[in-house]
Amino acid sequence: METVFLIKNRKKKCGNLMDIKRIQKALKRQRLDGWLLYDFQGMNIIAVRLLKLPEHVKNTRRYFYFIPAEGTPRKLVHRIEAGNLDSLPGEKTTYLSWQSLGEGIKNITEGANTIAMEFSQHNAIPYVARVDAGTVDLLRFIGKDVVSSANLIQEFEATLTNEQIESHLTAAKQIRQFIFNAFDEIHARLVKCGEVKEYAIQHFLLRRLEEHNLITHNPPIVAVNANAGNPHYRPYKNSSDTIRKDNLVLIDLVAKLPMPKSVFADITWMAYTGEHIPDEYVKTFSIASQARDTAFKLVSDRFADGKPIEGWEVDDAARAVIRNAGYGEFFIHRTGHSIGEDIHGNGANMDNLETHDDRRILPRTCFSIEPGIYTDTYGIRTEIDVLITPEREAQCTGGDPQKEIVTI
């Protein structure tokens, strides 16, 4: 039988900043025997981020890093990439063949029964499901109970440092001002020319981001009338509608500071290019804003009372307002998403529609609340970002929420 090599970790300084003791405290608190971080060629972006391997490390073979609830971490790497996890603490085992891979997994997880991985039962939370089914099968074949690492991921991937919080607050303040600038630009173009393309306003916003050294995930959404009824509509050079007088306009802008670990901000505002906003728009915006405020109040009250709250509950609160007003069928997406270094972060989403997100909302996390009503002829969305501060308070970032449709 092929030998599985065990190599004692040499004592040396390493650049990795993983807080093993903090992770082990979380494992004990969640009654888990360990966390098995696995990756193959970057498929598990969560493991990649958490392990913070040096940039020069190239992983072409499977590796495993096991953090037990007690004791020293253990590594399993292929022999041709034996040094790839040397920046991490712990004992190292190498494998060569697929048979020795299985033996190696048994060795590094010895004594552990319930093991967390980036897995989601029935794929309930696909954002967490980064480990392939075959690898989960392998762990179960050798007698392990594989459970989701969803709540561990939140604690160690979605929670923000003070510097990250500041980066988000700065970006949120700036993009709010840029949206107001865009409304002013629409007004100026209408006065001068009587019309302006959605695409022109999108590029006006992109220039504002560039001038202020902000980066974005996607070009801004600038949507007029029926286009606002498509939540993911974006204008392009050859497919852009014209904004004219007495039109409804939606602008959704996303950006962050150009620095490592900075956090996105993401807000949506509505405007009307006329003096008298149609009653239907006023009514549906009022319903959407009530849904937004109801969801925010639920989060704020739970944290003020020291009670837990999960993502699906926030979605239910917002959705109930829209459903009770008779527009339930027109609210066609989740209420909000986690926000982090990526615009769609790895924390709890405000979702009981597309998924049942039962992850708790934690202090030092950020997420959007963005209920919408979408019809064939128009769409309404109002979006705020919510930060749960280190002091466990819910804060609407970037200024007060929109109270009514802006008239241009």
Side-chain angles (χ1 to χ4, degrees):
M1 183 176 178
E2 183 181 344
T3 303
V4 176
F5 293 91
L6 175 63
I7 305 170
K8 292 290 184 179
N9 193 57
R10 295 180 177 88
K11 291 184 178 179
K12 64 179 182 178
K13 293 182 178 179
C14 62
N16 194 280
L17 301 176
M18 285 191 75
D19 191 339
I20 299 298
K21 289 184 178 179
R22 183 169 161 239
I23 291 174
Q24 290 179 321
K25 286 181 181 178
L27 289 168
K28 292 175 184 175
R29 188 169 61 249
Q30 296 186 32
R31 298 181 180 179
L32 300 172
D33 296 326
W35 190 357
L36 184 59
L37 291 162
Y38 156 77
D39 184 46
F40 176 60
Q41 297 186 351
M43 291 172 60
N44 186 353
I45 188 62
I46 295 168
V48 171
R49 282 184 172 170
L50 287 168
L51 296 179
K52 302 182 180 73
L53 299 180
E55 291 184 3
H56 70 272
V57 170
K58 182 178 181 181
N59 287 301
T60 64
R61 304 297 193 272
R62 289 171 283 185
Y63 69 78
F64 296 79
Y65 187 69
F66 183 63
I67 305 173
E70 290 187 2
T72 303
R74 305 162 204 163
K75 320 171 201 179
L76 179 63
V77 289
H78 195 277
R79 282 173 61 184
I80 67 169
E81 295 177 345
N84 278 13
L85 299 187
D86 282 358
S87 62
L88 301 168
E91 296 180 348
K92 176 168 63 178
T93 298
T94 64
Y95 73 94
L96 181 60
S97 67
W98 62 267
Q99 295 96 333
S100 62
L101 172 66
E103 288 299 314
I105 294 172
K106 284 184 182 178
N107 288 344
I108 67 169
T109 60
E110 185 178 2
N113 295 314
T114 305
I115 294 175
M117 296 188 77
E118 284 65 69
F119 154 82
S120 180
Q121 186 73 34
H122 304 305
N123 201 26
I125 307 176
Y127 315 97
V128 170
R130 305 287 182 165
V131 175
D132 62 278
T135 299
V136 174
D137 283 344
L138 176 58
L139 267 292
R140 288 175 171 165
F141 179 75
I142 64 177
K144 306 302 179 182
D145 179 18
V146 179
V147 299
S148 179
S149 61
N151 283 311
L152 289 168
I153 294 167
Q154 273 223 106
E155 188 167 346
F156 297 99
E157 166 73 4
T159 54
L160 309 178
T161 65
N162 290 340
E163 291 77 12
Q164 287 179 306
I165 289 173
E166 285 302 315
S167 76
H168 167 77
L169 294 174
T170 299
K173 182 179 179 180
Q174 288 186 284
I175 66 171
R176 178 188 175 103
Q177 184 57 53
F178 297 162
I179 288 177
F180 293 161
N181 295 156
F183 290 156
D184 290 341
E185 181 69 9
I186 292 171
H187 174 76
R189 298 281 191 102
L190 293 181
V191 169
K192 183 177 181 180
C193 306
E195 62 181 34
V196 60
K197 289 285 188 180
E198 297 165 323
Y199 183 75
I201 300 304
Q202 180 192 72
H203 274 256
F204 170 84
L205 285 164
L206 288 172
R207 288 194 299 273
R208 294 294 287 165
L209 295 180
E210 183 178 5
E211 290 164 2
H212 288 78
N213 201 27
L214 268 68
I215 57 178
T216 189
H217 172 74
N218 276 315
I221 296 174
V222 180
V224 63
N225 296 336
N227 292 338
N230 175 357
H232 284 174
Y233 170 83
R234 276 187 177 82
Y236 295 92
K237 185 174 183 179
N238 297 322
S239 59
S240 172
D241 282 351
T242 302
I243 302 170
R244 297 185 175 90
K245 190 175 184 300
D246 296 326
N247 283 178
L248 183 71
V249 179
L250 179 153
I251 294 181
D252 185 339
L253 183 58
V254 172
K256 69 175 183 176
L257 303 181
M259 52 187 277
K261 305 294 182 181
S262 63
V263 172
F264 274 100
D266 179 11
I267 60 174
T268 302
W269 276 62
M270 304 296 308
Y272 185 74
T273 60
E275 295 179 4
H276 303 292
I277 304 172
D279 291 343
E280 177 69 7
Y281 296 168
V282 173
K283 177 184 176 182
T284 49
F285 182 84
S286 176
I287 294 166
S289 62
Q290 287 174 34
R292 176 200 68 204
D293 295 345
T294 298
F296 178 82
K297 185 177 187 302
L298 175 65
V299 175
S300 182
D301 288 350
R302 288 285 186 89
F303 274 95
D305 294 340
K307 296 179 180 178
I309 182 169
E310 298 176 352
W312 67 270
E313 296 178 274
V314 182
D315 185 75
D316 275 4
R319 200 166 301 279
V321 173
I322 294 176
R323 183 178 60 249
N324 292 341
Y327 287 85
E329 66 180 292
F330 302 106
F331 185 12
I332 58 176
H333 58 68
R334 64 192 174 195
T335 292
H337 58 84
S338 170
I339 297 174
E341 295 176 49
D342 292 331
I343 185 56
H344 296 104
N346 287 317
N349 294 317
M350 310 304 110
D351 191 3
N352 198 24
L353 176 70
E354 301 170 52
T355 69
H356 177 70
D357 201 319
D358 59 0
R359 289 175 289 180
R360 286 188 178 184
I361 300 172
L362 301 179
R364 290 185 175 273
T365 59
C366 185
F367 55 90
S368 70
I369 293 179
E370 48 181 304
I373 295 172
Y374 307 95
T375 76
D376 292 338
T377 56
Y378 74 95
I380 294 286
R381 181 165 68 251
T382 174
E383 179 180 15
I384 61 172
D385 293 347
V386 180
L387 171 70
I388 306 301
T389 70
E391 296 75 30
R392 306 179 68 87
E393 295 177 352
Q395 175 184 349
C396 175
T397 64
D400 292 335
Q402 185 174 8
K403 303 298 184 186
E404 56 188 17
I405 297 173
V406 174
T407 54
I408 299 177

